[in-house]
Amino acid sequence: MSERLMLSGDEYFYTLQGEGDSIGKPATFLRLHFCNLECSWCDTKYTWDGTEKPIPWEMDKVVEQVRENPVKRLIITGGEPIIQQNKLIPLIDKLPDFIIEVETNGTLAPYKELEKCQFNVSPKLANSGDPL
């Protein structure tokens, strides 16, 4: 069986990047399920609060979908994508011609194999209401 990424619903879409150095640039987004925090103001709570179940996507399907869009910029967001970083490594290897950005809360260390990615870090402070 091939590797599967756990997505939040069918959270795959094409739009403009709204964060980081590439703000305003067209990109393909892939929203992954799960997060290690529970921020009170989270706008994607369904990725971690149990109201939605994750949907497993075969790696080949993810690659095919990403390659259908006209740009070579992939934003991997969440939840917290670093939770699934062992699955991100083969995805990134299958997209060598892409600029890949990972949106993260910065609480988990990325593996060395992800060093070619751009990290858009959004630290969470005490006012997030996270019990951790």
Side-chain angles (χ1 to χ4, degrees), residues 44-113:
T44 57
K45 228 177 198 178
Y46 57 90
T47 66
W48 54 263
D49 71 358
T51 59
E52 288 190 18
K53 300 287 184 225
I55 296 177
W57 275 37
E58 295 288 335
M59 191 66 67
D60 291 341
K61 178 182 177 184
V62 173
V63 171
E64 180 183 320
Q65 291 288 328
V66 167
R67 288 200 173 278
E68 280 185 6
N69 287 320
V71 298
K72 297 206 181 281
R73 179 177 304 275
L74 173 63
I75 314 298
I76 303 171
T77 189
E80 175 50 60
I82 299 301
I83 289 173
Q84 296 187 62
Q85 66 181 310
N86 62 324
K87 297 174 185 178
L88 295 181
I89 295 165
L91 174 64
I92 291 165
D93 288 345
K94 291 178 183 227
L95 298 168
D97 52 334
F98 274 67
I99 296 168
I100 298 179
E101 300 179 31
V102 178
E103 295 183 342
T104 176
N105 60 36
T107 61
L108 303 170
Y111 295 155
K112 182 177 177 17
E113 292 87 351

Side-chain angles (χ1 to χ4, degrees), residues 16-27 29 73 75 77 99-104 118-123:
L16 299 178
Q17 170 59 301
E19 301 178 21
D21 288 345
S22 59
I23 193 167
K25 293 184 179 178
F29 281 74
R73 179 177 304 275
I75 314 298
T77 189
I99 296 168
I100 298 179
E101 300 179 31
V102 178
E103 295 183 342
T104 176
Q118 172 182 313
F119 288 90
N120 301 327
V121 182
S122 178

Side-chain angles (χ1 to χ4, degrees), residues 5-25:
L5 280 169
M6 301 306 283
L7 275 66
S8 288
D10 282 331
E11 287 277 4
Y12 155 81
F13 51 95
Y14 175 70
T15 189
L16 299 178
Q17 170 59 301
E19 301 178 21
D21 288 345
S22 59
I23 193 167
K25 293 184 179 178

